[in-house]
Amino acid sequence: MNNLFVYCETEDGVVADVSLELLTKGRSLANQLNCCLEAVVAGINLDGVERQVLPYGVDKLHVFDDEWLYPYTSLPHTSILVTLFKEEKPQICLMGATVIGRDLGPRVSSALRSGLTADCTSLEIGSHEDKRQGKTYENLLYQIRPAFGGNIVATIINPEQRPQMATVREGVMRKGIYDKKYNGDIIKYNVNMYVSHTDLAVKVIDRHIEKAKHNVKSAPIIISGGYGVGSRENFGLLFDLAKTLNAEVGASRAAVDAGFCDHDRQIGQTGLTVRPKLYIACGISGQIQHIAGMQESSIIISINNDPAAPIHSIADYVITGTIEDVIPKMIKYYKKNSK
């Protein structure tokens, strides 16, 4: 009762990275709240899922295994969570801000009248004083996300309704095993007790998943370009540097909107969230929308001809100059010194 729940997505019996990231964060939050961490998995062929989930510090795993639950469709998964949450009464529920999470989260929160904050970039526990009503609320979930087009970072709370629900994009939270030998309870459910026949009216006959063409998210080195790169032709310089460093190329939204780079390379609030060992920002001004997607990079190098560019404030190293001048020199000297 009043524990923290994480909805875990699966594909072919493998738990999604974003779900494991949320379990890692959930364990930390549960420790602060002195409550249990519970996970919910719904799909098919889930016999080995506990070996993936329990090491992240899960105290209780709820398993709904049935052929009707895969591939994902909205109604049965919604019914499962709504009914389960009415029984268990969690205080917090976290989901990935994926295609599934963005469909399922609002449906569940609407049915429970609990509210939901989407695309959070940070989650914390804190208190809130309502001076108008003379109340102080303790142990609330601070749901932190960029707002008003990324011009501010808003902290959103839900003092009264439960569960407090939030979705978080992949890559925002760090993933880490809590205890490889952690023992939690596993509860397997009769799906027919939670899903009605009307929920199963829609059946997926066939589906096609378009896999990502690039591996920007997992690259240890990313060369990223902004509107300041100037043109799609100039982006070729970034690809030359990426080839030299065995890196991947990313882009800001402004560069993508200008047609300089493909959308699937976009990094930021409305794109990918990355945390490479080295992030080289080329011609990127440093708007909060972009910083939200790369600020966890281990080392940040900024190349910009504007010495007052905002991104310089978070960069470890700043190179003032044009892309056309700086990048060929970087390639030249890297090749010279790597022999």
Side-chain angles (χ1 to χ4, degrees), residues 40-339:
V40 183
V41 182
I44 192 172
N45 298 328
L46 301 176
D47 289 340
V49 75
E50 67 274 4
R51 294 192 294 272
Q52 302 175 56
V53 170
L54 295 184
Y56 287 85
V58 173
D59 298 295
K60 186 181 293 185
L61 174 61
H62 304 267
V63 179
F64 295 84
D65 193 334
D66 192 278
E67 62 178 351
W68 281 98
L69 301 179
Y70 182 86
Y72 169 87
T73 52
S74 303
L75 295 181
H77 286 253
T78 299
S79 292
I80 285 172
L81 288 192
V82 170
T83 304
L84 181 66
F85 287 175
K86 286 180 178 179
E87 295 171 353
E88 299 292 331
K89 295 180 171 53
Q91 59 175 308
I92 293 172
C93 172
L94 305 178
M95 297 183 184
T98 61
V99 172
I100 290 176
R102 286 171 173 150
D103 174 73
L104 182 60
R107 291 174 180 272
V108 175
S109 65
S110 177
L112 298 175
R113 297 183 178 275
S114 64
L116 178 145
T117 302
D119 290 328
C120 292
T121 56
S122 182
L123 300 170
E124 299 176 7
I125 300 298
S127 60
H128 171 68
E129 181 182 1
D130 188 334
K131 295 182 179 180
R132 179 176 296 180
Q133 297 187 26
K135 290 183 179 180
T136 299
Y137 299 89
E138 301 291 343
N139 294 325
L140 292 177
L141 178 67
Y142 286 179
Q143 301 153 60
I144 303 168
R145 58 153 295 162
F148 294 102
N151 293 310
I152 66 169
V153 177
T155 299
I156 301 169
I157 58 171
N158 184 354
E160 301 287 351
Q161 301 301 108
R162 295 295 180 269
Q164 302 164 88
M165 294 186 65
T167 62
V168 180
R169 285 172 44 213
E170 184 176 359
V172 171
M173 307 295 178
R174 292 188 180 275
K175 179 177 68 174
I177 289 177
Y178 185 72
D179 182 350
K180 291 183 179 179
K181 298 182 179 179
Y182 200 86
N183 289 319
D185 295 329
I186 302 171
I187 304 175
K188 297 184 178 181
Y189 291 84
N190 180 353
V191 175
N192 293 327
M193 301 296 293
Y194 288 78
V195 176
S196 68
H197 70 278
T198 55
D199 293 331
L200 306 177
V202 176
K203 183 177 181 180
V204 178
I205 304 299
D206 190 20
R207 65 174 183 157
H208 174 72
I209 299 176
E210 188 72 27
K211 294 185 178 180
K213 298 177 183 177
H214 317 293
N215 191 26
V216 179
K217 184 186 70 174
S218 303
I221 302 174
I222 296 176
I223 319 298
S224 195
Y227 188 77
V229 171
S231 66
R232 193 174 186 92
E233 289 70 30
N234 279 354
F235 250 85
L237 293 172
L238 275 61
F239 282 96
D240 291 341
L241 179 58
K243 184 177 180 180
T244 302
L245 300 179
N246 193 27
E248 275 286 0
V249 173
S252 69
R253 178 174 178 175
V256 171
D257 288 347
F260 299 166
C261 195
D262 297 335
H263 181 269
D264 56 1
R265 294 185 182 275
Q266 182 176 320
I267 295 170
Q269 181 186 348
T270 54
L272 301 169
T273 299
V274 298
R275 49 177 83 237
K277 294 179 180 179
L278 174 62
Y279 190 89
I280 302 178
C282 306
I284 293 175
S285 62
Q287 296 299 316
I288 190 171
Q289 296 97 322
H290 184 76
I291 290 176
M294 46 68 68
Q295 60 188 344
E296 294 294 325
S297 303
S298 298
I299 298 176
I300 300 172
I301 298 175
S302 175
I303 304 173
N304 204 302
N305 60 5
D306 179 7
I311 198 169
H312 293 344
S313 64
I314 67 166
D316 298 285
Y317 302 95
V318 174
I319 301 174
T320 303
T322 64
I323 304 302
E324 298 91 331
D325 183 42
V326 174
I327 289 185
K329 291 180 180 179
M330 292 181 73
I331 295 172
K332 175 184 175 181
Y333 287 106
Y334 179 82
K335 289 181 177 179
K336 178 181 178 181
N337 292 289
S338 62
K339 292 181 180 179

